[in-house]
């Protein structure tokens, strides 16, 4: 009998799409992944006021979901964070079969607002969420900074949580150092070593303060004063005012538009597969192995 593993996943956005794309590689589920992603992009456009639907939200929800077939996706309603707290249709669950006998497993993808915290509270053995949350919540601070996903598990106190990072999905943007030319001496590299010798203000988003402390290390920020951008202006503009900052960026193009120098990529902000080692059983191990094999096969393709 095929075993079943429950996996916590984000309810919407690029992180969920990255999960669906990875699961599709081992489940022959490209059409299913595309269907879910397209539906949620359409619903996002409605929530943002970019398109007007013919049917109301309840009619659309009924049309999308088929509760009689577990292999069809189900959706649910949440209140969005935008002004007015509009109702938004998001992912709820779907079941897919992965692998071939005897190395097969039935996977229940279950949407959660905070998959990482669902793993921490032992609701799931496996889940996908942002690596940022691990740094923000459970990685211990050290004199040296965390530079990669591989460094993360070594900084997790086993007395604090049973959750460990398994691997990343590659949907990566980076927490990157940015500075004005006036702050950066001629010929100097904008990297961790520069920050270690720097004395002054460092502009960051308030939500990332602990993450930046973990990534740079306590030694490097000893003489740094954190400042936070005014919500009324763009973060790159605030960093230009401060002289130095850390910002989540993919190409750095908008930073350059503000006259900023783009420096070292400090840490990858990507969706990662996580495991609660106290809860994961044989079905979870099977899924991990199948995902790892698919990742290797993709990497070896010419």
């Amino acid at each position: 009998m095929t075993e079943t593993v429950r996996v916590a996943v984000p309810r919407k956005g690029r992180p969920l799409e990255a999960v669906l794309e990875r699961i599709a590689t081992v489940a022959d589920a490209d059409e299913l992944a595309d269907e879910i992603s397209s539906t949620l992009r359409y619903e996002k456009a409605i929530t943002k006021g970019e398109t007007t639907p013919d049917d109301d939200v309840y009619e659309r929800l009924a049309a999308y979901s088929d509760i009689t077939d577990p292999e069809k996706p189900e959706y649910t309603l949440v209140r969005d964070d935008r002004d007015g707290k509009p109702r938004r249709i998001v992912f709820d669950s779907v079941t897919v079969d992965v692998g071939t006998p005897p190395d097969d497993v039935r996977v229940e993808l279950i949407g959660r607002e905070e998959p990482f915290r669902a793993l921490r509270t032992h609701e799931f053995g496996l889940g996908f969420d942002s690596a940022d949350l691990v740094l923000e919540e459970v990685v211990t601070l050290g004199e040296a900074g965390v530079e990669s996903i591989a460094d993360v598990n070594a900084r997790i106190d086993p007395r604090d949580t049973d959750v460990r990072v398994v691997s990343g999905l590659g949907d990566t943007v980076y927490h990157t150092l940015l500075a004005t030319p006036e702050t950066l001496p001629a010929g100097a590299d904008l990297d961790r070593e520069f920050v270690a010798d720097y004395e002054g203000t460092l502009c960051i988003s308030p939500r990332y303060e602990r993450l930046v402390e973990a990534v740079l290390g306590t030694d490097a920020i000893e003489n740094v004063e954190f400042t936070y951008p005014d919500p009324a202006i763009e973060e790159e503009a605030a960093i230009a005012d401060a002289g130095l900052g850390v910002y989540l960026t993919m190409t750095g193009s908008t930073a350059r538009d503000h006259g900023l120098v783009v420096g070292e990529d400090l840490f990858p902000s990507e969706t990662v597969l996580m495991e609660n080692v106290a809860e994961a059983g044989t079905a979870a191990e099977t899924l991990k192995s199948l995902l790892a094999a698919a990742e290797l096969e993709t990497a070896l393709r010419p």
Side-chain angles (χ1 to χ4, degrees):
M1 182 177 178
T2 302
E3 290 190 276
T4 299
V5 58
R6 298 168 66 249
V7 181
V9 301
R11 287 197 180 278
K12 60 184 185 298
R14 179 58 196 162
L16 174 59
E17 291 187 16
V19 173
L20 294 171
E21 289 169 6
R22 181 58 56 87
I23 292 294
T25 64
V26 294
D28 190 23
D30 291 321
E31 289 187 9
L32 176 65
D34 289 344
E35 175 190 342
I36 295 171
S37 296
S38 296
T39 297
L40 295 180
R41 288 176 191 170
Y42 175 64
E43 288 299 322
K44 179 181 180 180
I46 293 172
T47 304
K48 294 174 67 176
E50 297 173 350
T51 188
T52 302
D54 294 327
D55 300 324
D56 68 30
V57 67
Y58 296 105
E59 291 171 329
R60 299 197 309 276
L61 181 63
Y64 295 150
S65 297
D66 183 355
I67 61 174
T68 65
D69 185 348
E71 295 186 358
K72 296 292 185 181
E74 293 183 35
Y75 301 86
T76 190
L77 287 174
V78 298
R79 287 288 184 180
D80 196 77
D81 292 333
R82 290 177 174 81
D83 290 345
K85 300 292 183 182
R87 291 184 297 269
R88 179 172 176 176
I89 292 177
V90 296
F91 176 73
D92 184 72
S93 62
V94 73
T95 299
V96 294
D97 292 321
V98 175
T100 56
D103 299 318
D104 62 329
V105 63
R106 173 155 284 201
V107 180
E108 295 179 359
L109 300 177
I110 301 174
R112 287 290 184 268
E113 287 300 309
E114 299 175 325
F116 174 54
R117 295 191 178 101
L119 264 72
R120 290 196 70 189
T121 55
H122 295 259
E123 293 179 54
F124 294 84
L126 289 178
F128 292 89
D129 210 338
S130 170
D132 290 356
L133 293 174
V134 186
L135 268 71
E136 292 168 14
E137 296 194 13
V138 298
V139 164
T140 57
L141 301 180
E143 294 178 356
V146 175
E147 297 188 32
S148 67
I149 295 295
D151 295 338
V152 171
N153 286 341
R155 290 284 189 90
I156 295 176
D157 186 341
R159 296 169 296 182
D160 183 48
T161 181
D162 292 312
V163 178
R164 301 292 183 272
V165 175
V166 178
S167 61
L169 298 189
D171 58 327
T172 308
V173 293
Y174 284 91
H175 296 280
T176 302
L177 280 170
L178 305 175
T180 59
E182 295 77 16
T183 301
L184 191 67
D189 293 324
L190 182 53
D191 54 19
R192 296 167 188 269
E193 287 72 23
F194 172 80
V195 178
D197 295 331
Y198 173 79
E199 295 184 12
T201 56
L202 178 69
C203 183
I204 60 172
S205 170
R207 64 163 292 193
Y208 289 132
E209 181 168 333
R210 195 179 188 283
L211 181 149
V212 171
E213 291 174 337
V215 166
L216 289 174
T218 55
D219 278 357
I221 61 173
E222 184 176 358
N223 297 311
V224 165
E225 177 188 356
F226 289 136
T227 62
Y228 312 106
D230 186 319
I233 65 173
E234 293 180 331
E235 286 194 43
E236 293 100 325
I239 292 172
D241 290 340
L244 181 68
V246 177
Y247 185 63
L248 198 62
T249 182
M250 181 175 293
T251 64
S253 59
T254 56
R256 294 184 183 93
D257 291 341
H258 287 84
L260 294 168
V261 177
V262 179
E264 181 181 354
D265 291 332
L266 297 175
F267 188 80
S269 176
E270 66 179 313
T271 307
V272 293
L273 172 62
M274 305 178 195
E275 175 185 26
N276 185 313
V277 295
E279 300 297 333
T282 56
E285 291 299 321
T286 299
L287 178 58
K288 284 168 51 183
S289 297
L290 291 168
L291 290 170
E295 183 179 6
L296 179 61
E297 180 182 348
T298 300
L300 292 176
R301 287 175 185 163

